[in-house]
Amino acid sequence: METAERAEHGVSTTDKPTEEADRDTEGKAEQSGRAPATPAKFSFMVVSNRLPVDRCSSEESGCEDGWRRSPGGLVTALAPMMTKTDGAWVGWHGAPDETVQPFSHGGIDLVPVQLSTDDIELFYEGFSNSTLWPLYHDAVVPPEFHRTWWDAYRKVNKRFADAVAEHAEHGATVWVQDYQLQLVPRMLREARPDLKIGFFNHIPFPPPEIFAQLPWRRAIIDGLLGADLVGFQRSSDAGNFMRSARRFLGASVKQQQIHVKGSNGKTTHIARAQAFPISIDAQQISKLARKPEIIERARQIRRDLGNPKTILLGVDRLDYTKGISHRLKAYEELLADGKVTVEDATLIQVASPSRERVEQYRLLREEVEGTVGRINGTYDTMENTAVRYLHHSYPIEEMVALYLAADVMLITALRDVMNLVAKEYVTARTNNDGALVLSEFAGAADQLKQALLMNPHDIDGLKDTIMKAVNMRPAEASRRMRSMRKQILDHDVDLWSAEFLAALNEKVVRDDT
Ligand code: G6P
């Protein structure tokens, strides 16, 4: 820890090692891009495909030594733990073929894992995002199965496991995140049986009937069962996982305990599967939503759009699970029916760029942009626009201004394990106004029961729900928003991580009933 804290990040300079350099102190060695002789050790480690930092240039706000903390609740939730408990984060730093030595940013020690151009194509774009992502989202687009992708997935998972094994103190707690790293728990348990291993899946776990398609289904279940605790967003995901463990590995499952057997048929350890619905940093969003400059920015956004009576908003990664096309279809029909007009209403659609080299994502972008062009071409006037489409990512301050500017938030996901945008919108509405239209297929619907829930496949139902939101009386809007805000403020992301870690450290009482 000490070493990594002292170190600056450094890009590998493979031409550097000389005898003189070999005599460098540890800190200098790290700056020159070479690994220190003795790796720093940590008692708490988080592992995710991406590190919680992005590259930036010095003129951008929040940029420190070329890095900026990435937005998102996970890092906020874990940061206090990481600083208090001598923790480190292991992950890819986002640049292909570049070796970056461990460094510290914003008080968090970071251990970068290198990915080559081939790894990105086969492990990240291939197995993670063209096999697992669509398969785990109920095959809304067909998953592809390629043995070369699987080989790369195994190889890269091993690299992550090795990095953790090298840096974990004896008896450390390790928390592995998400579908890109499902083999890491088993690999770690084999290399380091002394560790306490948790895993959290941030996306759905599909029913065994769909998971069955995966040629490597046994290896994935076995990989996850290396963990002491496997966390999911919803109890249905935990249930799907336990049914798959039983069906494909013949594991015995009692309550939430899965008895993992060694080659001699004896139970080697007990893995537990449980739901922990994730949330957001509600305090941060509430605080931003009360800042005068952000409130003024929201007014400015409305003015720039010609002060329409109603602003509708969609905010999504440009992903086929989000139902953006369904939303646009419903909106186009409402314009055609004359239920909304460009003079009275504007739909802002923020579609942040995502996985742009993956074919299905390219196709989706073409489709969405074609539809937006058609709608605007048909309905725009010189003064007013039907859809303001923004293919960008924005900092959280701008997002909160957009949430404040929008009267109606549209979340039409076809499959989404949670959807944190829904929670952010509600939290930002500190005046308890505005309306949330929310897909029944987003996990957030389990918690935000006062949203206007709908099935995005039912276009007429979606249109009716949008109109209900547009015309909602203030008293009803306030009643619904108040109750949803309370739910979120009572279940901050801090609570999510605290509950997971408490469960991970619980002593397991064997349930043999
Ligand atoms: C989802 C996944 C994350 C992932 C994020 C962005 O939220 O659960 O693991 O990091 O999408 O996707 P990307 O492929 O850009 O990392």
Side-chain angles (χ1 to χ4, degrees):
M1 155 95 162
E2 214 190 304
T3 314
E5 251 179 11
R6 263 189 285 121
E8 300 280 342
H9 62 87
V11 174
S12 176
T13 50
T14 37
D15 52 340
K16 179 90 197 316
T18 60
E19 262 181 46
E20 192 191 341
D22 284 340
R23 290 194 301 273
D24 274 354
T25 61
E26 269 180 16
K28 277 193 195 154
E30 285 184 6
Q31 286 182 30
S32 76
R34 295 186 305 105
T38 319
K41 299 275 184 188
F42 303 94
S43 63
F44 176 58
M45 300 189 78
V46 174
V47 195
S48 62
N49 181 45
R50 286 181 190 275
L51 279 176
V53 288
D54 298 311
R55 276 270 161 72
C56 56
S57 56
S58 53
E59 62 274 10
E60 294 174 68
S61 79
C63 191
E64 220 181 88
D65 296 334
W67 298 94
R68 183 179 44 201
R69 187 184 271 195
S70 357
L74 192 58
V75 55
T76 322
L78 297 175
M81 273 294 290
M82 314 230 52
T83 38
K84 243 188 278 161
T85 60
D86 193 8
W89 200 304
V90 178
W92 178 47
H93 47 80
D97 297 315
E98 216 179 73
T99 304
V100 180
Q101 293 303 329
F103 66 104
S104 170
H105 185 272
I108 300 182
D109 285 306
L110 304 168
V111 179
V113 172
Q114 187 192 333
L115 293 188
S116 68
T117 306
D118 274 359
D119 295 332
I120 291 164
E121 186 186 327
L122 307 174
F123 154 77
Y124 171 71
E125 292 161 358
F127 200 78
S128 297
N129 289 316
S130 303
T131 305
L132 294 174
W133 180 270
L135 184 75
Y136 282 29
H137 286 90
D138 286 357
V140 288
V141 307
E144 288 182 49
F145 304 110
H146 298 293
R147 284 163 287 181
T148 45
W149 292 0
W150 166 246
D151 291 343
Y153 186 78
R154 271 196 320 205
K155 194 180 80 190
V156 173
N157 270 245
K158 180 76 169 53
R159 199 176 305 150
F160 277 81
D162 288 347
V164 178
E166 187 188 0
H167 289 274
E169 236 172 60
H170 185 83
T173 295
V174 180
W175 192 0
V176 185
Q177 311 286 331
D178 230 355
Y179 63 103
Q180 302 93 342
L181 301 176
Q182 292 172 99
L183 303 179
V184 171
R186 163 67 63 206
M187 290 170 169
L188 266 182
R189 181 167 291 275
E190 267 159 25
R192 293 286 308 270
D194 58 296
L195 301 176
K196 179 70 95 180
I197 305 167
F199 179 92
F200 191 82
N201 203 45
H202 290 261
I203 71 171
F205 197 89
E209 294 71 20
I210 290 180
F211 186 68
Q213 291 176 29
L214 188 67
W216 309 280
R217 60 199 187 189
R218 286 169 59 88
I220 292 281
I221 301 282
D222 182 59
L224 290 169
L225 287 177
D228 296 287
L229 177 63
V230 188
F232 297 91
Q233 302 270 22
R234 301 164 302 184
S235 42
S236 56
D237 299 305
N240 287 342
F241 171 68
M242 287 187 279
R243 288 201 288 142
S244 282
R246 194 184 285 133
R247 188 175 303 180
F248 303 121
L249 280 192
S252 78
V253 180
K254 294 181 180 112
Q255 308 280 0
Q256 294 177 321
Q257 299 184 353
I258 304 146
H259 293 240
V260 183
K261 303 216 164 60
S263 47
N264 60 3
K266 291 221 168 97
T267 299
T268 51
H269 83 284
I270 295 173
R272 285 166 297 148
Q274 218 177 303
F276 301 86
I278 201 168
S279 193
I280 55 166
D281 183 356
Q283 293 310 327
Q284 181 206 19
I285 304 279
S286 285
K287 241 191 247 161
L288 288 174
R290 291 196 167 94
K291 279 195 162 177
E293 60 272 30
I294 290 184
I295 296 172
E296 180 43 38
R297 173 70 190 136
R299 288 200 191 107
Q300 178 71 43
I301 291 170
R302 291 194 78 100
R303 279 199 295 274
D304 289 349
L305 290 169
N307 269 324
K309 224 162 62 201
T310 309
I311 292 181
L312 302 101
L313 175 66
V315 173
D316 310 87
R317 257 187 327 101
L318 191 41
D319 192 293
Y320 47 78
T321 58
K322 305 288 184 184
I324 301 172
S325 305
H326 295 62
R327 184 182 316 163
L328 290 173
K329 186 172 182 53
Y331 198 65
E332 184 173 19
E333 288 191 14
L334 287 172
L335 284 161
D337 300 345
K339 295 251 174 67
V340 293
T341 63
V342 285
E343 286 77 26
D344 281 350
T346 299
L347 168 61
I348 304 177
Q349 175 63 55
V350 176
S352 51
S354 186
R355 305 173 190 166
E356 294 195 281
R357 287 158 34 115
V358 176
E359 177 70 2
Q360 290 290 352
Y361 288 75
R362 264 207 292 259
L363 294 174
L364 175 73
R365 183 170 177 194
E366 272 173 34
E367 186 196 323
V368 166
E369 294 186 353
T371 308
V372 170
R374 187 182 63 231
I375 298 176
N376 284 344
T378 309
Y379 297 100
D380 278 9
T381 61
M382 287 298 174
E383 295 78 29
N384 302 105
T385 188
V387 183
R388 177 56 56 87
Y389 172 78
L390 303 151
H391 185 242
H392 301 297
S393 305
Y394 293 100
I396 188 67
E397 292 78 9
E398 181 73 353
M399 292 313 306
V400 173
L402 275 166
Y403 295 145
L404 285 178
D407 306 286
V408 176
M409 182 84 214
L410 299 177
I411 289 168
T412 54
L414 307 178
R415 228 314 138 252
D416 200 342
V417 79
M418 179 50 68
N419 198 296
L420 295 178
V421 166
K423 294 189 173 182
E424 287 180 358
Y425 176 72
V426 168
T427 308
R429 305 301 300 193
T430 50
N431 291 338
N432 295 309
D433 52 5
L436 174 65
V437 172
L438 179 60
S439 165
E440 290 164 8
F441 304 113
D446 293 350
Q447 287 116 52
L448 304 179
K449 297 204 164 66
Q450 290 297 317
L452 296 175
L453 299 176
M454 51 77 209
N455 167 7
H457 297 282
D458 171 10
I459 298 295
D460 285 336
L462 174 54
K463 285 164 64 182
D464 290 346
T465 314
I466 293 175
M467 290 318 296
K468 191 170 169 191
V470 168
N471 297 319
M472 192 185 283
R473 288 196 330 274
E476 182 181 351
S478 166
R479 181 177 53 74
R480 289 175 182 268
M481 200 54 84
R482 209 178 283 277
S483 131
M484 291 191 285
R485 289 195 80 243
K486 177 163 172 27
Q487 205 287 338
I488 298 170
L489 291 166
D490 289 349
H491 296 85
D492 205 88
V493 71
D494 286 352
L495 187 67
W496 168 79
S497 52
E499 284 183 351
F500 182 92
L501 291 169
L504 178 59
N505 287 308
E506 248 165 44
K507 200 163 164 42
V508 180
V509 181
R510 197 171 160 144
D511 187 345
D512 283 328
T513 52

Tab-separated table of all heavy atoms in Angstrom, residues 48-50 74 92 124-125 128-129 133 137 177-180 201-204 233 317 319 322 353-356 361 416-417 420, ligand 1:
chain	number	residue	atom	x	y	z
A	48	SER	N	-12.453	-5.179	-10.952
A	48	SER	CA	-13.471	-5.014	-11.987
A	48	SER	C	-12.763	-4.852	-13.320
A	48	SER	O	-11.569	-4.544	-13.354
A	48	SER	CB	-14.353	-3.796	-11.697
A	48	SER	OG	-13.575	-2.625	-11.693
A	49	ASN	N	-13.514	-5.077	-14.404
A	49	ASN	CA	-12.862	-4.989	-15.708
A	49	ASN	C	-12.210	-3.629	-15.899
A	49	ASN	O	-11.070	-3.538	-16.316
A	49	ASN	CB	-13.886	-5.258	-16.822
A	49	ASN	CG	-13.245	-5.191	-18.183
A	49	ASN	OD1	-12.160	-5.731	-18.401
A	49	ASN	ND2	-13.869	-4.484	-19.105
A	50	ARG	N	-12.942	-2.563	-15.566
A	50	ARG	CA	-12.363	-1.222	-15.703
A	50	ARG	C	-11.971	-0.672	-14.342
A	50	ARG	O	-12.717	-0.823	-13.374
A	50	ARG	CB	-13.392	-0.260	-16.286
A	50	ARG	CG	-13.650	-0.439	-17.755
A	50	ARG	CD	-14.659	0.591	-18.206
A	50	ARG	NE	-15.119	0.337	-19.553
A	50	ARG	CZ	-14.489	0.744	-20.656
A	50	ARG	NH1	-13.372	1.426	-20.563
A	50	ARG	NH2	-14.990	0.479	-21.849
A	74	LEU	N	-20.352	2.987	-7.662
A	74	LEU	CA	-19.550	1.911	-7.085
A	74	LEU	C	-18.317	2.461	-6.369
A	74	LEU	O	-18.043	2.114	-5.218
A	74	LEU	CB	-19.133	0.952	-8.205
A	74	LEU	CG	-18.547	-0.375	-7.785
A	74	LEU	CD1	-19.519	-1.144	-6.914
A	74	LEU	CD2	-18.160	-1.204	-9.007
A	92	TRP	N	-8.596	-2.870	-15.580
A	92	TRP	CA	-7.983	-2.378	-16.826
A	92	TRP	C	-8.062	-0.858	-16.835
A	92	TRP	O	-9.075	-0.278	-16.430
A	92	TRP	CB	-8.741	-2.981	-18.011
A	92	TRP	CG	-8.273	-2.531	-19.353
A	92	TRP	CD1	-6.996	-2.451	-19.790
A	92	TRP	CD2	-9.116	-2.097	-20.432
A	92	TRP	NE1	-6.975	-1.998	-21.087
A	92	TRP	CE2	-8.252	-1.779	-21.513
A	92	TRP	CE3	-10.494	-1.955	-20.609
A	92	TRP	CZ2	-8.734	-1.328	-22.742
A	92	TRP	CZ3	-10.976	-1.513	-21.824
A	92	TRP	CH2	-10.105	-1.208	-22.880
A	124	TYR	N	-13.073	-8.707	-24.556
A	124	TYR	CA	-14.007	-7.621	-24.187
A	124	TYR	C	-15.145	-7.486	-25.203
A	124	TYR	O	-16.318	-7.652	-24.857
A	124	TYR	CB	-13.207	-6.310	-24.047
A	124	TYR	CG	-14.082	-5.090	-23.892
A	124	TYR	CD1	-14.793	-4.862	-22.724
A	124	TYR	CD2	-14.217	-4.171	-24.938
A	124	TYR	CE1	-15.617	-3.746	-22.594
A	124	TYR	CE2	-15.033	-3.056	-24.807
A	124	TYR	CZ	-15.730	-2.852	-23.641
A	124	TYR	OH	-16.561	-1.762	-23.521
A	125	GLU	N	-14.791	-7.219	-26.474
A	125	GLU	CA	-15.868	-7.059	-27.471
A	125	GLU	C	-16.506	-8.400	-27.798
A	125	GLU	O	-17.711	-8.469	-28.057
A	125	GLU	CB	-15.305	-6.424	-28.752
A	125	GLU	CG	-14.875	-4.997	-28.528
A	125	GLU	CD	-13.911	-4.466	-29.582
A	125	GLU	OE1	-13.516	-5.213	-30.511
A	125	GLU	OE2	-13.519	-3.309	-29.464
A	128	SER	N	-17.201	-11.123	-23.707
A	128	SER	CA	-17.962	-10.360	-22.698
A	128	SER	C	-19.198	-9.707	-23.311
A	128	SER	O	-20.295	-9.793	-22.752
A	128	SER	CB	-17.082	-9.278	-22.062
A	128	SER	OG	-16.014	-9.878	-21.376
A	129	ASN	N	-19.003	-9.057	-24.470
A	129	ASN	CA	-20.093	-8.204	-24.957
A	129	ASN	C	-20.837	-8.705	-26.191
A	129	ASN	O	-21.826	-8.083	-26.589
A	129	ASN	CB	-19.574	-6.781	-25.151
A	129	ASN	CG	-19.304	-6.145	-23.791
A	129	ASN	OD1	-20.115	-6.268	-22.865
A	129	ASN	ND2	-18.146	-5.526	-23.633
A	133	TRP	N	-23.121	-10.697	-22.674
A	133	TRP	CA	-24.073	-9.578	-22.497
A	133	TRP	C	-25.435	-9.915	-23.129
A	133	TRP	O	-26.456	-9.879	-22.440
A	133	TRP	CB	-23.479	-8.270	-23.041
A	133	TRP	CG	-24.405	-7.102	-22.881
A	133	TRP	CD1	-25.348	-6.673	-23.779
A	133	TRP	CD2	-24.524	-6.236	-21.743
A	133	TRP	NE1	-26.031	-5.587	-23.279
A	133	TRP	CE2	-25.545	-5.295	-22.040
A	133	TRP	CE3	-23.867	-6.157	-20.515
A	133	TRP	CZ2	-25.915	-4.292	-21.140
A	133	TRP	CZ3	-24.244	-5.153	-19.632
A	133	TRP	CH2	-25.256	-4.239	-19.948
A	137	HIS	N	-28.995	-11.038	-21.124
A	137	HIS	CA	-30.176	-10.169	-21.286
A	137	HIS	C	-31.211	-10.891	-22.139
A	137	HIS	O	-31.753	-10.332	-23.105
A	137	HIS	CB	-29.777	-8.823	-21.892
A	137	HIS	CG	-29.067	-7.926	-20.920
A	137	HIS	ND1	-27.707	-7.922	-20.758
A	137	HIS	CD2	-29.535	-7.014	-20.016
A	137	HIS	CE1	-27.370	-7.046	-19.814
A	137	HIS	NE2	-28.463	-6.488	-19.341
A	177	GLN	N	-16.092	-7.947	-9.360
A	177	GLN	CA	-17.295	-7.333	-9.910
A	177	GLN	C	-17.570	-7.786	-11.345
A	177	GLN	O	-16.696	-7.686	-12.201
A	177	GLN	CB	-17.141	-5.802	-9.943
A	177	GLN	CG	-16.657	-5.158	-8.666
A	177	GLN	CD	-17.715	-5.108	-7.569
A	177	GLN	OE1	-18.912	-5.041	-7.860
A	177	GLN	NE2	-17.290	-5.141	-6.313
A	178	ASP	N	-18.752	-8.261	-11.573
A	178	ASP	CA	-19.392	-8.341	-12.903
A	178	ASP	C	-18.960	-9.467	-13.840
A	178	ASP	O	-17.954	-10.141	-13.648
A	178	ASP	CB	-19.311	-6.983	-13.600
A	178	ASP	CG	-20.688	-6.563	-14.125
A	178	ASP	OD1	-21.632	-7.364	-14.019
A	178	ASP	OD2	-20.813	-5.435	-14.644
A	179	TYR	N	-19.800	-9.546	-14.902
A	179	TYR	CA	-19.800	-10.698	-15.806
A	179	TYR	C	-18.501	-10.897	-16.579
A	179	TYR	O	-18.254	-11.976	-17.095
A	179	TYR	CB	-20.965	-10.562	-16.802
A	179	TYR	CG	-20.843	-9.347	-17.714
A	179	TYR	CD1	-20.425	-9.463	-19.035
A	179	TYR	CD2	-21.126	-8.068	-17.244
A	179	TYR	CE1	-20.306	-8.361	-19.858
A	179	TYR	CE2	-21.005	-6.942	-18.060
A	179	TYR	CZ	-20.597	-7.101	-19.366
A	179	TYR	OH	-20.467	-5.999	-20.176
A	180	GLN	N	-17.678	-9.858	-16.687
A	180	GLN	CA	-16.423	-10.020	-17.443
A	180	GLN	C	-15.435	-10.906	-16.684
A	180	GLN	O	-14.478	-11.400	-17.270
A	180	GLN	CB	-15.749	-8.655	-17.674
A	180	GLN	CG	-16.595	-7.626	-18.411
A	180	GLN	CD	-17.362	-6.724	-17.443
A	180	GLN	OE1	-17.520	-7.053	-16.264
A	180	GLN	NE2	-17.854	-5.597	-17.934
A	201	ASN	N	-22.684	-9.705	-9.439
A	201	ASN	CA	-23.055	-9.626	-10.848
A	201	ASN	C	-23.930	-8.386	-11.045
A	201	ASN	O	-25.011	-8.319	-10.479
A	201	ASN	CB	-23.848	-10.893	-11.205
A	201	ASN	CG	-23.803	-11.189	-12.673
A	201	ASN	OD1	-22.731	-11.123	-13.275
A	201	ASN	ND2	-24.935	-11.505	-13.256
A	202	HIS	N	-23.461	-7.447	-11.863
A	202	HIS	CA	-24.218	-6.194	-12.023
A	202	HIS	C	-25.283	-6.302	-13.109
A	202	HIS	O	-25.998	-5.335	-13.351
A	202	HIS	CB	-23.263	-5.041	-12.337
A	202	HIS	CG	-22.403	-4.658	-11.172
A	202	HIS	ND1	-22.684	-3.591	-10.353
A	202	HIS	CD2	-21.284	-5.234	-10.654
A	202	HIS	CE1	-21.764	-3.502	-9.408
A	202	HIS	NE2	-20.905	-4.494	-9.566
A	203	ILE	N	-25.335	-7.427	-13.798
A	203	ILE	CA	-26.325	-7.588	-14.872
A	203	ILE	C	-27.206	-8.801	-14.524
A	203	ILE	O	-26.917	-9.507	-13.551
A	203	ILE	CB	-25.638	-7.716	-16.260
A	203	ILE	CG1	-24.904	-9.051	-16.434
A	203	ILE	CG2	-24.657	-6.560	-16.484
A	203	ILE	CD1	-24.415	-9.294	-17.868
A	204	PRO	N	-28.270	-9.059	-15.301
A	204	PRO	CA	-29.118	-10.195	-14.919
A	204	PRO	C	-28.354	-11.514	-14.978
A	204	PRO	O	-27.335	-11.619	-15.671
A	204	PRO	CB	-30.216	-10.200	-15.995
A	204	PRO	CG	-30.153	-8.876	-16.675
A	204	PRO	CD	-28.762	-8.353	-16.507
A	233	GLN	N	-28.506	-8.640	-8.273
A	233	GLN	CA	-29.366	-7.473	-8.064
A	233	GLN	C	-30.742	-7.869	-7.535
A	233	GLN	O	-31.344	-7.165	-6.762
A	233	GLN	CB	-29.557	-6.721	-9.387
A	233	GLN	CG	-28.263	-6.250	-10.025
A	233	GLN	CD	-27.880	-4.862	-9.569
A	233	GLN	OE1	-28.315	-4.408	-8.509
A	233	GLN	NE2	-27.056	-4.190	-10.336
A	317	ARG	N	-27.045	4.454	-22.099
A	317	ARG	CA	-25.952	4.023	-22.958
A	317	ARG	C	-26.628	3.551	-24.233
A	317	ARG	O	-27.726	2.975	-24.179
A	317	ARG	CB	-25.217	2.833	-22.319
A	317	ARG	CG	-23.924	3.186	-21.685
A	317	ARG	CD	-23.115	1.985	-21.201
A	317	ARG	NE	-23.895	0.882	-20.741
A	317	ARG	CZ	-24.128	-0.208	-21.465
A	317	ARG	NH1	-23.617	-0.361	-22.676
A	317	ARG	NH2	-24.852	-1.179	-20.966
A	319	ASP	N	-27.513	1.188	-26.109
A	319	ASP	CA	-27.481	-0.274	-25.978
A	319	ASP	C	-28.858	-0.832	-26.355
A	319	ASP	O	-29.888	-0.237	-26.001
A	319	ASP	CB	-27.152	-0.642	-24.519
A	319	ASP	CG	-26.807	-2.110	-24.348
A	319	ASP	OD1	-27.694	-2.970	-24.533
A	319	ASP	OD2	-25.643	-2.396	-24.025
A	322	LYS	N	-31.983	-1.197	-23.999
A	322	LYS	CA	-32.613	-0.019	-23.381
A	322	LYS	C	-33.952	0.369	-24.000
A	322	LYS	O	-34.617	1.280	-23.500
A	322	LYS	CB	-31.668	1.190	-23.437
A	322	LYS	CG	-30.294	0.935	-22.827
A	322	LYS	CD	-30.353	0.833	-21.308
A	322	LYS	CE	-28.967	0.682	-20.706
A	322	LYS	NZ	-28.988	0.481	-19.269
A	353	PRO	N	-22.193	7.084	-26.081
A	353	PRO	CA	-21.518	6.117	-26.938
A	353	PRO	C	-21.083	4.900	-26.143
A	353	PRO	O	-20.622	5.036	-25.008
A	353	PRO	CB	-20.282	6.866	-27.434
A	353	PRO	CG	-20.567	8.317	-27.195
A	353	PRO	CD	-21.515	8.389	-26.043
A	354	SER	N	-21.245	3.714	-26.716
A	354	SER	CA	-20.887	2.496	-25.990
A	354	SER	C	-20.482	1.387	-26.961
A	354	SER	O	-21.124	1.203	-27.996
A	354	SER	CB	-22.113	2.055	-25.179
A	354	SER	OG	-21.778	0.970	-24.370
A	355	ARG	N	-19.402	0.692	-26.636
A	355	ARG	CA	-18.984	-0.540	-27.347
A	355	ARG	C	-19.119	-0.377	-28.868
A	355	ARG	O	-19.728	-1.211	-29.547
A	355	ARG	CB	-19.824	-1.716	-26.847
A	355	ARG	CG	-19.739	-1.836	-25.333
A	355	ARG	CD	-20.659	-2.846	-24.730
A	355	ARG	NE	-20.662	-2.697	-23.277
A	355	ARG	CZ	-21.544	-3.234	-22.447
A	355	ARG	NH1	-22.511	-3.983	-22.935
A	355	ARG	NH2	-21.481	-3.038	-21.155
A	356	GLU	N	-18.534	0.694	-29.372
A	356	GLU	CA	-18.847	1.113	-30.740
A	356	GLU	C	-18.298	0.210	-31.826
A	356	GLU	O	-18.720	0.299	-32.969
A	356	GLU	CB	-18.338	2.531	-30.945
A	356	GLU	CG	-19.114	3.493	-30.076
A	356	GLU	CD	-18.909	4.919	-30.488
A	356	GLU	OE1	-17.855	5.460	-30.123
A	356	GLU	OE2	-19.778	5.459	-31.182
A	361	TYR	N	-24.039	-2.993	-31.829
A	361	TYR	CA	-24.106	-1.617	-31.347
A	361	TYR	C	-24.042	-0.644	-32.524
A	361	TYR	O	-24.694	0.393	-32.523
A	361	TYR	CB	-22.981	-1.335	-30.333
A	361	TYR	CG	-23.231	-2.034	-29.007
A	361	TYR	CD1	-23.036	-3.402	-28.858
A	361	TYR	CD2	-23.693	-1.332	-27.910
A	361	TYR	CE1	-23.282	-4.053	-27.671
A	361	TYR	CE2	-23.939	-1.969	-26.692
A	361	TYR	CZ	-23.731	-3.335	-26.588
A	361	TYR	OH	-23.992	-3.974	-25.391
A	416	ASP	N	-33.289	-4.825	-18.130
A	416	ASP	CA	-32.287	-4.024	-17.428
A	416	ASP	C	-32.353	-4.468	-15.981
A	416	ASP	O	-33.416	-4.422	-15.363
A	416	ASP	CB	-32.651	-2.532	-17.547
A	416	ASP	CG	-31.453	-1.626	-17.291
A	416	ASP	OD1	-30.461	-2.107	-16.711
A	416	ASP	OD2	-31.518	-0.442	-17.663
A	417	VAL	N	-31.220	-4.905	-15.455
A	417	VAL	CA	-31.284	-5.520	-14.134
A	417	VAL	C	-31.661	-4.509	-13.058
A	417	VAL	O	-32.259	-4.847	-12.058
A	417	VAL	CB	-29.956	-6.235	-13.830
A	417	VAL	CG1	-28.888	-5.252	-13.408
A	417	VAL	CG2	-30.134	-7.326	-12.806
A	420	LEU	N	-30.041	2.739	-12.962
A	420	LEU	CA	-29.735	3.764	-11.964
A	420	LEU	C	-30.159	5.153	-12.412
A	420	LEU	O	-30.331	6.046	-11.575
A	420	LEU	CB	-28.245	3.729	-11.626
A	420	LEU	CG	-27.804	2.426	-10.950
A	420	LEU	CD1	-26.311	2.421	-10.679
A	420	LEU	CD2	-28.576	2.183	-9.652
B	1	G6P	C1	-22.709	-2.134	-17.513
B	1	G6P	C2	-21.840	-3.230	-16.927
B	1	G6P	C3	-20.493	-2.685	-16.468
B	1	G6P	C4	-19.848	-1.900	-17.583
B	1	G6P	C5	-20.778	-0.783	-18.066
B	1	G6P	C6	-20.205	0.033	-19.226
B	1	G6P	O1	-23.153	-1.283	-16.516
B	1	G6P	O2	-22.507	-3.885	-15.871
B	1	G6P	O3	-19.646	-3.748	-16.080
B	1	G6P	O4	-18.602	-1.361	-17.186
B	1	G6P	O5	-21.996	-1.383	-18.500
B	1	G6P	O6	-19.824	-0.801	-20.268
B	1	G6P	P1	-18.315	-0.897	-20.790
B	1	G6P	O7	-18.346	-2.046	-21.741
B	1	G6P	O8	-18.066	0.418	-21.462
B	1	G6P	O9	-17.405	-1.119	-19.621
